[in-house]
Amino acid sequence: MALIPLMGGEMERKDRILESLDILRRVRDDFDDQDCMDKLEAVIYTMADKFLDRMDMEDVRKGVAMTRLGQMLIEEGWEKGREEGREEGRDRINSLTLKLSELGRIDDITRAAKDRPYQEELLREFGI
């Protein structure tokens, strides 16, 4: 299965790759070794990345999104994005807290912690 993208024939390489991914997706549940299936998907995707141009890779990316590997990559990306968002949010709030503290606006720190619209107003006020 992993060598199908390297084989010759009338079908274009992109189409062979997409068909390989589709076959893996359809037969996945029939196999006990899901780890092996994940590795096959990864190998096929790696070959696509090596041999296809940018336009064809976009089609393959869409095909991979429907596979288990694609779902794993999507979930990993979401988690990374959430973590980056949380870190950015903490940085913004810490900057606001420090700025309000420097200005002696302690009551505003407490109010901002309880009142999200007021917190957003303060963030805009200080350009944070």
Side-chain angles (χ1 to χ4, degrees):
M1 180 64 69
L3 298 177
I4 289 174
L6 298 177
M7 298 171 84
E10 294 180 19
M11 188 182 281
E12 288 185 35
R13 182 170 277 155
K14 174 189 81 167
D15 295 327
R16 287 192 307 266
I17 289 169
L18 289 170
E19 186 65 24
S20 297
L21 291 170
D22 187 52
I23 291 168
L24 283 174
R25 185 181 50 77
R26 285 183 285 155
V27 302
R28 172 177 280 287
D29 293 337
D30 296 335
F31 288 89
D32 293 331
D33 191 351
Q34 294 299 303
D35 188 50
C36 181
M37 298 298 281
D38 292 344
K39 289 176 183 172
L40 278 171
E41 287 177 3
V43 167
I44 292 169
Y45 184 76
T46 300
M47 286 186 188
D49 189 44
K50 177 151 181 68
F51 293 114
L52 299 181
D53 64 27
R54 190 174 202 90
M55 294 294 289
D56 287 342
M57 270 307 288
E58 181 61 24
D59 292 336
V60 171
R61 183 193 61 76
K62 291 174 186 173
V64 167
M66 296 185 305
T67 66
R68 182 176 143 118
L69 172 65
Q71 288 303 308
M72 290 168 55
L73 293 171
I74 288 168
E75 289 170 12
E76 182 179 311
W78 283 341
E79 182 55 39
K80 185 176 181 181
R82 282 190 295 268
E83 181 56 38
E84 288 175 3
R86 286 188 291 265
E87 187 174 321
E88 182 180 313
R90 284 189 299 267
D91 290 347
R92 290 179 73 211
I93 298 307
N94 288 341
S95 294
L96 176 62
T97 301
L98 288 171
K99 187 67 172 172
L100 291 170
S101 179
E102 289 170 6
L103 297 172
R105 294 174 60 178
I106 306 306
D107 290 340
D108 285 333
I109 295 172
T110 304
R111 181 175 172 199
K114 295 177 184 177
D115 184 345
R116 176 109 3 132
Y118 184 64
Q119 184 183 81
E120 289 298 323
E121 181 183 322
L122 291 170
L123 289 165
R124 281 191 300 278
E125 177 183 331
F126 292 107
I128 300 173

